[in-house]
């Protein structure tokens, strides 16, 4: 017969048995990502967003293969894609501002339709070998593509406002999705262009983009409400305390990614270059999912310090002359990317007025793209002028150190982090 410990309850003379010899069953914590996707409507808009986001890793690779194959010039292909990147940097913040002012569905669908027409126009121009100027014009039209990742993050911020732990998990999930799409997109594009026809990557990417945005925009129940114009403060977000300096950090972070891509491609220089480079995205994706389970942020300074240290590993791997060591270094270096991006995007959300969240996150992405372009140029210059490509791997390390220095020197970001 079990032993009963009978204690007097505060409510009265009744006795309550307490069983000492029966241990309580362990409490099992529910997976935070399962709990996140259990949010009503979350799976539907996530599916549409993933379909729409996959082409983001396909378009540039498809355009390069398509243009270089038809016109016989990689320089022309690079110039066309660079023009599209520059046009996106100018147009994207305005598109995001319209999304904040009039709603995601009302703006994202027509903006995506225009971008899809631009992709199809580029496809036709290349197929019929139209004048070179038409390639630049057609690819520039794709700049109206909305920031689908930013719109998805805005939905999570609306659904989990007041719940920092869930929002942290959501941002980690979105960053892992970014890494997965940019890891699979180029592979899918290269396969389609080589297995079917040169224009297949662009065609499939355009169809996926439009289909995904239509599915995403149809989920009106989870769409953030449009803020009144009086609440969405007018003027540039760059004037908000801490925003301009934070964008400077994003610019330096983009230089890390752009330089690492160019240097790795130049160092490996062969069919294994793509798979080896993809290991960096794989490491970032895995680290992002683990970071999201933590339920809290490590702080931007800490993440940037870790990134600076881990970015030295590809250099050390290349120094050994072993491709396996370089691959391992890239895998480890990528593990700092997602946590840093998650923490940075969370800080952007804190600094941006609620009525202009899409615009704020699009500005961050624009700064990243500008940094990628600058890092690519700097990495290419270093490859050409360094004694060996091994030394060029120091370029992303220097860029990461610059991002850390900017973060430490910025008092606005520190105050925002302390007040959160």
């Amino acid at each position: 017969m079990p032993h009963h410990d009978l204690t007097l309850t505060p409510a009265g003379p009744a006795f309550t048995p307490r069983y000492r010899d029966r241990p309580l069953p362990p409490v099992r914590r529910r997976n935070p990502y399962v709990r996140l996707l259990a949010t009503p409507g979350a799976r539907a808009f996530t599916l549409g967003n993933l379909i729409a986001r996959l082409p983001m890793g396909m378009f540039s690779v498809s355009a390069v293969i398509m243009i270089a194959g038809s016109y016989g010039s990689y320089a022309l292909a690079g110039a066309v894609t660079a023009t599209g990147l520059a046009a996106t940097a100018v147009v994207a913040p305005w598109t995001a501002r319209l999304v904040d002012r009039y709603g995601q569905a009302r703006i994202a669908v027509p903006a995506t339709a225009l971008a899809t027409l631009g992709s199809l126009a580029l496809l036709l121009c290349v197929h019929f070998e139209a004048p070179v100027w038409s390639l630049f014009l057609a690819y520039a039209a794709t700049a109206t593509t909305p920031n689908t990742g930013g719109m998805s993050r805005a939905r999570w911020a609306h659904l989990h406002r007041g719940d920092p732990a869930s929002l942290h998990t959501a941002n980690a999930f979105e960053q892992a999705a970014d890494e997965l799409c940019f890891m699979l997109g180029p592979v899918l594009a290269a396969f389609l262009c080589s297995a079917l026809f040169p224009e297949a990557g662009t065609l499939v990417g355009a169809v996926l983009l439009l289909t995904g945005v239509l599915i995403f925009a149809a989920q009106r129940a989870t769409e953030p409400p449009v803020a009144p114009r009086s609440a969405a403060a007018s003027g540039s977000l760059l004037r908000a305390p801490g925003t301009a300096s934070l964008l400077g950090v994003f610019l330096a972070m983009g230089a890390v990614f752009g330089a690492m891509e160019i240097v790795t491609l130049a160092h490996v220089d062969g069919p294994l270059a793509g798979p080896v480079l993809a290991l960096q995205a794989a490491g970032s994706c895995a680290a992002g999912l683990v970071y999201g389970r933590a339920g809290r942020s490590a702080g931007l300074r800490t993440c940037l310090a870790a990134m600076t240290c881990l970015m030295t590993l590809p250099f050390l791997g290349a120094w050994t002359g072993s491709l396996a060591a370089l691959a391992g270094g890239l895998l480890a270096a990528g593990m700092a990317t997602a946590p840093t991006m998650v923490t940075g995007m969370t800080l952007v959300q804190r600094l941006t007025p609620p009525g202009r969240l899409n615009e704020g996150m699009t500005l961050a992405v624009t700064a990243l793209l500008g940094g990628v372009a600058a890092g690519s140029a700097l990495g290419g210059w270093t490859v050409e002028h360094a004694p060996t490509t091994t030394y060029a791997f120091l370029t992303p390390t220097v860029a990461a150190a610059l991002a850390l220095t900017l973060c430490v020197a910025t008092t606005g970001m520190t105050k925002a982090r302390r007040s959160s």
Side-chain angles (χ1 to χ4, degrees):
M1 184 173 181
H3 170 73
H4 294 167
D5 179 20
L6 304 179
T7 56
L8 189 66
T9 61
F15 288 93
T16 303
R18 183 183 302 158
Y19 295 90
R20 284 182 175 173
D21 58 344
R22 294 185 182 180
L24 294 175
V27 179
R28 300 182 64 181
R29 296 182 61 186
R30 193 178 182 187
N31 188 304
Y33 294 105
V34 174
R35 185 169 63 249
L36 185 73
L37 293 176
T39 306
R43 295 183 181 181
F45 82 74
T46 298
L47 174 63
N49 191 264
L50 290 176
I51 295 174
R53 206 183 306 188
L54 181 61
M56 298 300 103
M58 298 175 59
F59 282 132
S60 60
V61 174
S62 299
V64 169
I65 295 175
M66 184 172 61
I67 295 172
S70 180
Y71 290 80
S73 173
Y74 279 96
L76 174 62
V80 171
T81 54
T83 300
L85 182 64
T88 300
V90 175
V91 175
W94 291 98
T95 304
R97 181 175 293 187
L98 292 175
V99 168
D100 285 327
R101 181 171 297 181
Y102 299 106
Q104 293 183 354
R106 292 181 62 185
I107 299 300
V109 173
T112 302
L114 180 58
T116 301
L117 290 176
S119 295
L120 296 178
L122 177 66
L123 184 154
L124 293 174
C125 289
V126 173
H127 182 76
F128 293 104
E129 297 188 7
V132 169
W133 61 265
S134 66
L135 307 182
F136 290 91
L137 185 62
Y139 204 73
T142 64
T144 60
T145 304
N147 179 11
T148 53
M151 291 192 298
S152 185
R153 287 178 173 92
R155 293 199 180 207
W156 290 122
H158 168 65
L159 294 173
H160 296 286
R161 56 192 181 278
D163 187 356
S166 295
L167 187 56
H168 172 80
T169 301
N171 285 332
F173 173 79
E174 291 296 325
Q175 187 59 39
D178 277 340
E179 299 294 346
L180 182 64
C181 291
F182 278 99
M183 183 171 57
L184 297 179
V187 177
L188 177 60
F191 171 77
L192 291 172
C193 292
S194 59
L196 299 180
F197 48 91
E199 298 87 358
T202 300
L203 179 61
V204 173
V207 172
L208 288 175
L209 174 63
L210 184 59
T211 302
V213 170
L214 288 175
I215 295 174
F216 179 83
Q219 314 309 315
R220 302 299 293 270
T222 54
E223 181 177 349
V226 177
R229 186 166 298 187
S230 58
S234 59
S236 175
L237 284 179
L238 297 177
R239 298 178 182 177
T243 299
S245 53
L246 180 58
L247 293 180
V249 174
F250 272 90
L251 187 69
M253 287 166 54
V256 175
F257 309 142
M260 185 64 78
E261 180 178 3
I262 294 297
V263 172
T264 302
L265 292 175
H267 183 81
V268 179
D269 190 25
L272 292 178
V276 169
L277 187 61
L279 288 173
Q280 184 180 2
S284 178
C285 181
L289 292 175
V290 173
Y291 188 62
R293 293 179 66 96
R296 55 176 297 179
S297 171
L300 189 56
R301 284 188 187 183
T302 303
C303 290
L304 287 171
M307 174 180 279
T308 303
C309 294
L310 291 178
M311 283 298 161
T312 62
L313 297 181
F315 166 74
L316 296 176
W319 185 269
T320 65
S322 169
L323 183 60
L326 173 60
L330 287 169
L331 180 67
M335 293 180 180
T337 301
T340 306
M341 287 294 301
V342 170
T343 306
M345 281 297 184
T346 302
L347 195 50
V348 170
Q349 293 171 355
R350 294 174 184 170
L351 294 174
T352 305
R356 302 179 68 178
L357 198 54
N358 286 290
E359 183 183 356
M361 288 187 287
T362 301
L363 282 174
V365 172
T366 301
L368 272 174
L369 292 177
V372 168
S376 298
L378 182 60
W381 184 91
T382 307
V383 167
E384 293 290 334
H385 293 83
T388 64
T389 55
T390 298
Y391 290 99
F393 276 100
L394 292 174
T395 306
T397 305
V398 172
L402 176 61
L404 175 61
T405 302
L406 291 174
C407 181
V408 171
T410 302
T411 57
M413 285 185 292
T414 305
K415 291 180 180 179
R417 180 161 57 88
R418 288 177 178 175
S419 62
S420 60

